[in-house]
Amino acid sequence: MPTYPPRNVSETAANMALIRALETAKPNRQRLFSDPFARRFLPAWQRALVTPAKIPPWRRMLESFFDRQAPGARTSGAARTRLIDDWTRAAVRNGAAQVVIMGAGFDCRALRLDELRLSSVFELERREMLNLKSRFLADTSASHVRRVPIDFLNEQPEDCLVASGYSPTVKSLFILEGVTNYLDRSAVDSVFNLFSHSAPGSRMIFTYVHIDAINGTFPAPGLTALLERLRNLGEAWTFGFRPEDMPDYLAQRDLRIVADLSATDYRAIYWRQPMLLKGYEFYRAVLAEKTNAAR
Ligand SMILES: C[S@@+](CC[C@H](N)C(=O)[O-])C[C@H]1O[C@@H](n2cnc3c(N)ncnc32)[C@H](O)[C@@H]1O
């Protein structure tokens, strides 16, 4: 195992791994998904805490501690992971033969979803994160995965992908989970331009943060403390959309919205008693499809 914490690790990517590791510790019939790789990415002290999380009172104590620190992050993060798993499986069943996971962090869908084993998967991330991920997963077989280094703020995803064997004429799925909020307008436009140049029927799954959360005015518990914590981590949120602007933004790129769900919506799909779960209502997940219009 690589030593931890290494330099240049994304703390927010490691946090998603913690959410997935906690969910995976639940019994089969209770959990929303299983990510057996997630715990590998945790620092040793967190791994030590999560290992006994199969014991329900211990797990509930960890969950309630987590929920007090960041209201809604765990419950929305787990529901979102499951939602994106479901949308991903549907896109692959619908013929997407290439899956491009942007800002992949410690996302292990390429390994844990059997449906992706027959696809070409491209994982785009910062070089240091990709190197670290490859070291943590050194014992896994992932010949269908190509890890493509990129800095979205300074490089064009289309150039990096084509150089790595991606074909724009093949029906594809693009996944951008937890990433647009770290970019700027020009980098977000480049990602959507890539999608708009893809084969008809391609799909894109992406998350975005409501713009009022970026400027701190969205009414959600714990938002001010969350924004301050992100700034202290050096991973401040920098970009958001207004949901009402989304249909036009996509239509201008020959893309159609299939669903645009708030955390309240997707928690209601997967959690029992979702009305008891509060926080992160500003964190949205979108499924969009490339229309047949020629440009
Ligand atoms: C919240 S994490 C989400 C990771 C992963 N998608 C998941 O759901 O587990 C955000 C990820 O975006 C990556 N990221 C942020 N800005 C980036 C940039 N300019 N270029 C490349 N990757 C970036 C970070 O390194 C991090 O892994």
Side-chain angles (χ1 to χ4, degrees):
M1 280 283 175
T3 51
Y4 218 103
R7 287 171 59 232
N8 296 325
V9 71
S10 160
E11 294 287 343
T12 59
N15 216 41
M16 283 310 298
L18 176 58
I19 289 171
R20 292 179 185 136
L22 276 175
E23 190 64 21
T24 302
K26 291 180 179 171
N28 267 345
R29 63 184 186 290
Q30 273 181 31
R31 62 189 175 208
L32 299 182
F33 55 83
S34 170
D35 183 345
F37 304 100
R39 61 189 299 285
R40 297 182 181 206
F41 303 107
L42 306 181
W45 67 273
Q46 279 185 4
R47 235 180 294 137
L49 286 174
V50 166
T51 300
K54 290 207 180 313
I55 303 163
W58 181 259
R59 185 178 63 253
R60 280 195 284 273
M61 191 200 67
L62 292 180
E63 288 172 347
S64 100
F65 180 75
F66 195 116
D67 295 348
R68 277 198 306 276
Q69 297 295 309
R74 178 185 65 85
T75 55
S76 68
R80 200 169 55 243
T81 297
R82 169 61 186 274
L83 175 74
I84 295 178
D85 284 358
D86 288 350
W87 281 347
T88 298
R89 290 189 175 101
V92 172
R93 277 199 302 273
N94 188 50
Q98 294 179 133
V99 178
V100 180
I101 305 179
M102 295 189 259
F106 300 136
D107 172 339
C108 286
R109 285 194 176 87
L111 301 178
R112 64 186 180 79
L113 301 188
D114 288 341
E115 290 82 351
L116 298 198
R117 291 260 168 201
L118 295 177
S119 316
S120 297
V121 181
F122 299 86
E123 293 189 341
L124 277 63
E125 240 304 336
R126 291 197 169 104
R127 185 179 296 279
E128 301 79 5
M129 284 288 287
L130 287 181
N131 289 345
L132 183 66
K133 187 175 189 177
S134 297
R135 285 162 59 203
F136 276 116
L137 296 174
D139 61 335
T140 60
S141 140
S143 53
H144 61 305
V145 183
R146 265 160 272 183
R147 300 206 168 106
V148 183
I150 189 168
D151 177 352
F152 290 111
L153 292 173
N154 294 307
E155 291 169 282
Q156 291 297 321
E158 201 152 4
D159 298 344
C160 299
L161 270 171
V162 170
S164 304
Y166 161 87
S167 165
T169 59
V170 172
K171 201 198 261 194
S172 300
L173 169 67
F174 303 87
I175 301 174
L176 201 65
E177 182 180 6
V179 186
T180 54
N181 39 317
Y182 297 104
L183 304 183
D184 58 19
R185 165 64 72 171
S186 141
V188 169
D189 286 349
S190 296
V191 168
F192 282 92
N193 288 343
L194 165 71
F195 180 30
S196 92
H197 299 155
S198 66
S202 293
R203 293 184 183 172
M204 182 166 186
I205 298 166
F206 65 95
T207 65
Y208 70 95
V209 169
H210 193 297
I211 200 160
D212 291 349
I214 303 292
N215 59 37
T217 59
F218 194 100
L223 177 62
T224 307
L226 171 70
L227 294 177
E228 190 184 340
R229 204 157 47 241
L230 289 163
R231 275 194 300 274
N232 292 340
L233 288 175
E235 295 188 59
W237 288 351
T238 47
F239 185 83
F241 280 108
R242 243 171 241 300
E244 53 272 33
D245 295 339
M246 195 46 80
D248 273 358
Y249 181 81
L250 293 179
Q252 283 162 16
R253 293 160 176 80
D254 299 332
L255 312 172
R256 176 182 76 86
I257 288 196
V258 179
D260 178 356
L261 306 181
S262 72
T264 308
D265 301 326
Y266 50 80
R267 271 195 296 241
I269 302 174
Y270 297 110
W271 284 97
R272 269 180 267 160
Q273 301 192 298
M275 65 294 282
L276 300 180
L277 307 174
K278 302 287 176 218
Y280 260 65
E281 291 81 0
F282 47 77
Y283 212 102
R284 304 184 68 93
V286 178
L287 173 63
E289 191 164 46
K290 170 82 167 69
T291 63
N292 290 319
R295 281 227 155 221

